[in-house]
Structure formats: C-alpha cells, structure tokens
C-alpha cells in the first residue's frame, strides 16, 4: 500500500509518502521525527479533534462553542458528537470549563471555548 499524507504537526506541512509492505512501514518526505510518528499513528490508529457548538440552557438562540481537549480515535467521532448534542450547559460558564469529563472513556474532555455570564 502506498499513501500520501500531509503532516499536521507543525505549519510546514510536509508531504509524506508512506509505503506499507507486509509488517514494515517506510516513510519519506518528513523533515523531522514528528512526521514519522504522525504517519505511523495516522495509518495504524488515526485520531481527530472535534469542535462544535451546543445550545445554552435558558437562552434558546445562543450557542456555546465547545471542543475536545485531546484528539480521539477517528471512529469515535460520531458517537462523541451524539453525546455532545445532548449537552445544555447552564451559565455562568467559564472558558476552559470541563463540560463532559472523559467522554466515552476516551481520556478526552469536552470543554467550553468561551465564557458566558
Ligand atoms: S515532518 Fe516535522 S517539519 Fe514536517 S510538518 Fe511534520 S512536524 Fe513539521
């Protein structure tokens, strides 16, 4: 299998070529070791971050932006979105406040990205 990925670990955005043959993985195009680590994770256990918004309790037309504080396995994104969609945070809410701890046992928390008084 041959794959091309863009490394997202820094703004340079190296284009990585990944060749997977049997049990071995050959990675080229990376300017540093982080690129190799990124490619291995992306091929074997891809992870993603997630940002969305939820309605604020008692303020029907106001939304609160929220995000995960750590990337999670890609196949958990839709179940996590489903959990977050039930969230109705009650003000006052502080920026960085944990709204759901360790969502679906992923080790990631759902946090508020702004303050609402
Ligand atoms: S391989 Fe290194 S230099 Fe290139 S984008 Fe990734 S982190 Fe940046």
């Amino acid at each position: 299998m041959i794959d091309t990925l863009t490394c997202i670990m820094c703004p340079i955005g190296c284009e990585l070529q990944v060749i997977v043959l049997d049990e071995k993985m050959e990675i080229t195009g990376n300017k540093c070791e982080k690129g190799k680590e990124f490619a291995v994770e992306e091929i074997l256990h891809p992870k993603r971050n997630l940002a969305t918004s939820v309605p604020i309790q008692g303020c029907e037309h106001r939304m609160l932006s929220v995000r995960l504080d750590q990337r999670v396995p890609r196949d958990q994104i839709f179940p996590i979105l489903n959990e977050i969609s039930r969230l109705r945070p009650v003000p006052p809410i502080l920026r960085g406040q944990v709204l759901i701890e360790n969502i679906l046992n992923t080790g990631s928390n759902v946090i508020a990205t702004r303050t609402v008084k």
Side-chain angles (χ1 to χ4, degrees):
M1 178 188 97
I2 300 175
D3 215 336
T4 302
L5 303 171
T6 302
C7 179
I8 58 168
M9 302 306 283
C10 89
I12 295 173
C14 295
E15 189 168 291
L16 312 175
Q17 285 77 45
V18 184
I19 300 172
V20 182
L21 268 182
D22 300 323
E23 302 287 300
K24 291 184 181 170
M25 199 179 295
E26 185 183 313
I27 299 153
T28 55
N30 53 305
K31 287 189 168 70
C32 75
E33 281 303 304
K34 280 187 190 171
K36 271 192 181 164
E37 291 164 17
F38 168 79
V40 169
E41 181 180 280
E42 189 62 16
I43 297 291
L44 299 179
H45 308 288
K47 289 184 175 177
R48 295 290 180 271
N49 209 326
L50 172 65
T52 185
S53 16
V54 294
I56 297 169
Q57 180 99 14
C59 315
E60 266 180 37
H61 302 295
R62 288 182 70 198
M63 302 292 281
L64 174 70
S65 52
V66 301
R67 69 171 176 84
L68 299 177
D69 65 358
Q70 290 185 55
R71 297 186 308 144
V72 294
R74 189 173 61 189
D75 61 4
Q76 290 291 300
I77 288 290
F78 286 110
I80 286 173
L81 265 175
N82 195 34
E83 283 293 305
I84 292 176
S85 70
R86 291 185 219 150
L87 197 56
R88 297 290 181 274
V90 180
I93 303 156
L94 296 175
R95 182 170 181 242
Q97 182 177 329
V98 174
L99 304 171
I100 303 177
E101 194 173 333
N102 188 22
I103 189 161
L104 298 182
N105 294 317
T106 56
S108 184
N109 300 314
V110 178
I111 60 171
T113 61
R114 67 182 178 93
T115 295
V116 179
K117 294 185 177 172

